[in-house]
Amino acid sequence: MALKATICKTELSISDMDRHLYETFSLTLAQHPSETIERIMVRLLAFALNAHPQLEFTKGLSADDEPDLWQKDYSGVIDLWIELGQPDERRLRKACSRAKQVIVYGYHGRNARIWWDGIQSSCDRFDNLTVINLNGDAIKQLEKLYNRSMQLQATIQDGLVWLADEHHSIEISSEVWKARA
């Protein structure tokens, strides 16, 4: 018998001083049986960093032809394609040809650097690609915030993110490895 996804409900209040966005989102995430808590929390973080009323979670690990999150316009054109982890060059090429903007969030510390060093030269040609590495030590701390029913606050200022619940606050820094041209 196949394992079912775990449903997580989240109320995410975002204060993004960099983009002047102050909004609360009620989100439902399906955690794939093979998805780690760390990864689902990075999906929430990616949502906070790119929050928009049309940004939505996809089937994620359950679908090979979809990103982790995407934002489509009303005609179905993909404005934003968000990948997590270490996608291969073929997947990035496909994403860059289908979407106006592609963002990859790496979060595995040293492994992410090894991945990027190996793929960087083949990705230089993608003008609509941004690669951001999230601080791996801070990402490991996100498990403290995980619950199937979460109320989180995200504060974003000067490229730093503070993600908090009523008991914990975690500061997450990032480094841009490739900026969109």
Side-chain angles (χ1 to χ4, degrees):
M1 178 153 85
L3 296 174
K4 294 184 180 179
T6 301
I7 302 301
C8 298
K9 300 255 185 197
T10 304
E11 183 176 288
L12 180 61
S13 296
I14 300 171
S15 297
D16 187 338
M17 274 66 97
D18 294 344
R19 296 189 305 150
H20 305 288
L21 174 87
Y22 309 94
E23 197 165 338
T24 298
F25 294 87
S26 293
L27 305 170
T28 301
L29 291 93
Q31 182 181 3
H32 189 276
S34 68
E35 184 174 27
T36 64
I37 291 172
E38 181 179 73
R39 189 171 193 287
I40 198 165
M41 295 305 292
V42 171
R43 281 203 289 150
L44 275 171
L45 178 60
F47 185 95
L49 288 166
N50 299 280
H52 188 277
Q54 291 173 264
L55 183 63
E56 59 186 37
F57 297 101
T58 65
K59 295 176 185 168
L61 295 175
S62 300
D64 291 336
D65 61 339
E66 294 181 358
D68 293 290
L69 295 99
W70 61 15
Q71 178 183 323
K72 293 182 179 182
D73 68 14
Y74 293 112
S75 66
V77 173
I78 303 169
D79 289 328
L80 177 60
W81 178 296
I82 299 174
E83 289 282 341
L84 305 178
Q86 303 168 11
D88 62 23
E89 188 269 338
R90 192 180 94 254
R91 184 164 176 85
L92 291 177
R93 181 176 56 241
K94 176 182 170 183
C96 289
S97 70
R98 291 183 62 194
K100 292 180 183 177
Q101 179 182 6
V102 177
I103 301 175
V104 176
Y105 289 102
Y107 60 96
H108 286 113
R110 185 170 165 267
N111 289 341
R113 174 46 76 183
I114 293 168
W115 163 79
W116 181 241
D117 287 346
I119 196 172
Q120 181 179 6
S121 62
S122 61
C123 292
D124 284 342
R125 64 185 175 186
F126 303 133
D127 292 338
N128 59 339
L129 175 65
T130 301
V131 179
I132 299 170
N133 186 52
L134 302 169
N135 180 297
D137 293 332
I139 295 302
K140 290 176 186 171
Q141 299 295 314
L142 291 178
E143 288 190 27
K144 294 177 185 177
L145 304 176
Y146 176 80
N147 196 318
R148 288 185 57 196
S149 178
M150 296 178 271
Q151 288 188 317
L152 301 173
Q153 298 79 40
T155 304
I156 303 165
Q157 185 174 14
D158 298 329
L160 288 175
V161 181
W162 290 269
L163 197 59
D165 64 9
E166 61 186 34
H167 303 292
H168 304 92
S169 179
I170 299 163
E171 180 181 326
I172 304 147
S173 61
S174 61
E175 182 181 3
V176 177
W177 286 345
K178 181 185 184 326
R180 184 175 132 178

